[in-house]
Amino acid sequence: MVIDQPDLDREASVADKMMQAVDQQAVAMSTSDQIAVENVSLRYGGSAGVLAIDNVSFTVPDNEFCVIVGPSGCGKSSLLYLAAGLHDATSGRILVNGHEVFEPGRERGMVFQGYTLFPWLTVRANIEYGPKRRGMAAPERRKIVDQYLEEVGLTAFANHYPSQLSGGMKQRVAIARALANDPAVLLMDEPFGALDSQTRTTMQKLLLRVWERHHKTVLFVTHDIEEALLLGDRVLVMTARPGRIKAQVKVNIPRPRTTNLILEPEFIALKRQLLSLLHDEIDENH
Ligand code: ADP
Ligand code: MG
């Protein structure tokens, strides 16, 4: 399958907007944080334009790691942009923690495939950006940044600039930066899609470790079925464009999970099921 090419300009401007929005929204955290996507459709370019998403509804319970897979161009990124508050739905709505999404907000952290770090800031300053905008005092900021630097294994790189880092390291900074805002929900759009397979495996392990510690609600888009099954509690399969939810597959594989799982019969059975769901979509449309 083809990996989507990140639209770096779009992503850079989006990252900027998200960060500016960080302090615009006071957020009441509660244990009922969740995502509800209600009858969402998205058409690009007016009424004669492209129907990208067609009447999608689903919910993500608190603390669930929910993965979305689907053929290229089916609207996965569009759906995440809607949830981030960066696009407006043509109809329907998305609620996060009971509040309708109209704009980016601190309770939704986003990690893109392309690297959307601020190139002129050090690793530490990138991670610190959100807490600083919120007016958090310097000693507390330092503590939080140190904690996340350690969790993503970048303590020794705190004073490096993004251009001095590998692709995997940049994504680790992006994850740390998102977490430093203490979001209720993490929106991740093929965050490891541009990485080589070894780095990808390392990043999957790291994300599992971080997620098992913080238990955020995650909406994670990927092309990679093994990645979906390794990470997810549930996998939503989208149809080819216009994107609809075609099926959902529960991943009842106990945690903590390790990458050796891919050899287990239950994993292989789920993989076969997902492959067949996806292949139907690709065959019918190409
Ligand atoms: P995916 O992430 O699943 O590959 P996207 O959400 O990026 O899919 O795109 C879904 C569809 O909408 C594609 O056909 C794409 O070409 C189209 N699309 C995406 N962004 C725009 C845009 N800004 N204007 C017009 N069409 C778009
Ligand atoms: Mg995409």
Side-chain angles (χ1 to χ4, degrees), residues 4 76-77 189-190:
D4 286 353
K76 302 182 295 300
S77 294
D189 187 9
E190 309 213 32

Side-chain angles (χ1 to χ4, degrees), residues 4 10 44 50 52 71-79 189-190 241:
D4 286 353
R10 175 167 92 158
Y44 285 110
V50 179
S72 191
C74 76
K76 302 182 295 300
S77 294
S78 300
L79 191 57
D189 187 9
E190 309 213 32
R241 200 185 75 206

Side-chain angles (χ1 to χ4, degrees), residues 2-275:
V2 209
I3 299 287
D4 286 353
Q5 291 304 309
D7 178 343
L8 294 180
D9 286 344
R10 175 167 92 158
E11 293 191 349
S13 83
V14 156
D16 204 38
K17 268 197 233 161
M18 303 258 327
M19 282 303 174
Q20 286 171 13
V22 148
D23 53 354
Q24 285 171 6
Q25 212 164 337
V27 184
M29 299 290 176
S30 86
T31 51
S32 62
D33 292 332
Q34 59 166 17
I35 306 167
V37 176
E38 297 179 350
N39 304 106
V40 164
S41 296
L42 175 66
R43 190 182 287 280
Y44 285 110
S47 53
V50 179
L51 183 62
I53 298 176
D54 185 15
N55 198 26
V56 163
S57 297
F58 63 91
T59 57
V60 185
D62 200 18
N63 293 349
E64 186 182 59
F65 199 122
C66 179
V67 181
I68 297 179
V69 298
S72 191
C74 76
K76 302 182 295 300
S77 294
S78 300
L79 191 57
L80 253 68
Y81 275 63
L82 290 173
L86 294 161
H87 286 338
D88 293 327
T90 308
S91 57
R93 59 180 196 161
I94 298 183
L95 305 176
V96 170
N97 201 14
H99 299 288
E100 187 168 351
V101 169
F102 293 112
E103 60 189 358
R106 178 197 151 196
E107 84 287 6
R108 281 159 287 135
M110 188 142 181
V111 182
F112 300 99
Q113 178 184 333
Y115 311 121
T116 48
L117 303 176
F118 299 120
W120 60 91
L121 296 179
T122 62
V123 166
R124 172 177 294 281
N126 264 281
I127 301 173
E128 197 176 28
Y129 190 87
K132 197 169 177 179
R133 281 193 71 100
R134 297 206 308 277
M136 189 184 284
E140 197 184 341
R141 252 167 27 217
R142 171 161 281 275
K143 215 172 96 192
I144 285 179
V145 176
D146 285 346
Q147 177 203 331
Y148 285 112
L149 277 170
E150 205 214 308
E151 282 192 30
V152 301
L154 288 178
T155 303
F157 293 86
N159 298 320
H160 284 55
Y161 285 88
S163 62
Q164 299 171 296
L165 305 178
S166 69
M169 289 159 105
K170 287 181 195 166
Q171 286 308 68
R172 285 192 262 160
V173 180
I175 292 170
R177 188 178 60 170
L179 288 171
N181 277 320
D182 195 21
V185 167
L186 272 182
L187 304 170
M188 307 186 84
D189 187 9
E190 309 213 32
F192 311 143
L195 305 177
D196 64 80
S197 69
Q198 212 176 326
T199 308
R200 197 179 174 108
T201 304
T202 311
M203 291 299 293
Q204 289 163 348
K205 285 190 204 158
L206 179 137
L207 181 61
L208 277 176
R209 224 174 37 235
V210 170
W211 181 78
E212 271 150 21
R213 182 172 311 170
H214 298 283
H215 272 278
K216 300 287 180 193
T217 305
V218 181
L219 194 54
F220 186 103
V221 165
T222 181
H223 259 89
D224 182 329
I225 288 177
E226 287 192 353
E227 179 166 84
L229 291 172
L230 192 65
L231 299 176
D233 294 314
R234 185 168 55 122
V235 181
L236 304 177
V237 182
M238 285 179 76
T239 63
R241 200 185 75 206
R244 288 184 292 264
I245 304 293
K246 178 192 174 85
Q248 60 163 322
V249 174
K250 270 288 213 190
V251 188
N252 287 320
I253 299 176
R255 299 180 187 270
R257 298 183 188 161
T258 67
T259 41
N260 296 336
L261 248 184
I262 60 173
L263 302 170
E264 300 290 333
E266 57 185 332
F267 188 95
I268 292 167
L270 285 169
K271 185 175 166 185
R272 188 170 289 131
Q273 189 185 351
L274 278 179
L275 273 174

